[in-house]
Amino acid sequence: MGRLSRAQVLDAALALADRDGIAKLSMRRLGAELGVEAMTLYYYVPNKDAVLDGLVERIVASVAPRPSGPRAVWLGEFAHAFRAELLRHPALVPLVATRPVATPEALAAVERAASALVGEGLAPLRAFQLLNAVTTFVIGHTLAELDPEDGESRDDPAVDAAQLPCLAEALAAGLGTRADHDERFESAIRALLAGIE
């Protein structure tokens, strides 16, 4: 069975999820995407859960922190890269939010970051708590930017300016736009990291 690899299976799964959403990802559809019977996929991944774990791995490994210099700087760079990757793959955001990191490659990426924090004098538990604070903030912020039904940015409802003048003015000034989300993310991650320091 040399035609495929685990990486190719995950590439196809990511393409399917991006195009059709995670709910429509099945081994049958994945096999069709790759031009093979679904049973063939089991040579490369043991089951659908392994595919889902692999998708989380793809996100985590692609943005793994690169510890160098002050921790607030590299943690901030990681947070920005993580958010950007989630926004590139909006259908995977709920999966990343609810599925724990489980594959050896993804766990190794997290271990490298935790080890760097331990090297700065933090206890291992505190290191993982710090990483968790940053990652859950990023995931939560990104989820708030997306419509949970389809992964697309959501439109704001019509607002009666007479009843809700502050909200109407904020919306007119750009509340909920991509620039607003970017600005809110930047100020919040700075505050979070400053508080951690």
Side-chain angles (χ1 to χ4, degrees):
M1 301 300 306
R3 281 189 58 213
L4 291 175
S5 66
R6 177 178 179 270
Q8 289 171 306
V9 171
L10 294 180
D11 287 344
L14 183 59
L16 267 174
D18 283 344
R19 186 177 68 230
D20 300 330
I22 203 75
K24 294 185 180 175
L25 178 63
S26 69
M27 297 302 273
R28 184 184 58 76
R29 291 191 74 210
L30 186 52
E33 182 84 0
L34 291 162
V36 300
E37 293 294 323
M39 291 304 294
T40 302
L41 299 176
Y42 296 105
Y43 286 100
Y44 308 100
V45 289
N47 50 44
K48 184 179 174 183
D49 281 342
V51 174
L52 298 177
D53 288 341
L55 292 175
V56 173
E57 171 191 300
R58 282 291 173 93
I59 299 294
V60 171
S62 70
V63 297
R66 288 162 179 70
S68 177
R71 73 174 165 226
V73 172
W74 63 261
L75 283 170
E77 290 169 352
F78 159 68
H80 283 88
F82 190 23
R83 175 174 173 252
E85 189 67 7
L86 290 173
L87 289 173
R88 270 192 289 279
H89 303 287
L92 295 187
V93 177
L95 183 70
V96 173
T98 58
R99 195 165 192 93
V101 172
T103 66
E105 184 177 342
L107 288 168
V110 175
E111 178 69 18
R112 282 190 299 275
S115 294
L117 294 170
V118 169
E120 292 182 8
L122 296 181
L125 177 60
R126 182 68 181 123
F128 279 98
Q129 289 171 339
L130 174 57
L131 290 172
N132 184 263
V134 173
T135 57
T136 54
F137 166 75
V138 173
I139 292 166
H141 189 282
T142 308
L143 274 171
E145 295 181 60
L146 304 175
D147 182 339
E149 293 301 314
D150 59 12
E152 298 297 323
S153 293
R154 89 176 129 232
D155 293 325
D156 289 309
V159 172
D160 181 345
Q163 295 294 318
L164 304 166
C166 291
L167 179 57
E169 187 174 335
L171 287 169
L175 180 69
T177 63
R178 172 62 56 216
D180 175 51
H181 286 301
D182 291 344
E183 185 179 331
R184 279 192 275 163
F185 181 83
E186 181 62 36
S187 62
I189 196 65
R190 271 199 316 263
L192 174 64
L193 293 173
I196 287 168
E197 290 302 309

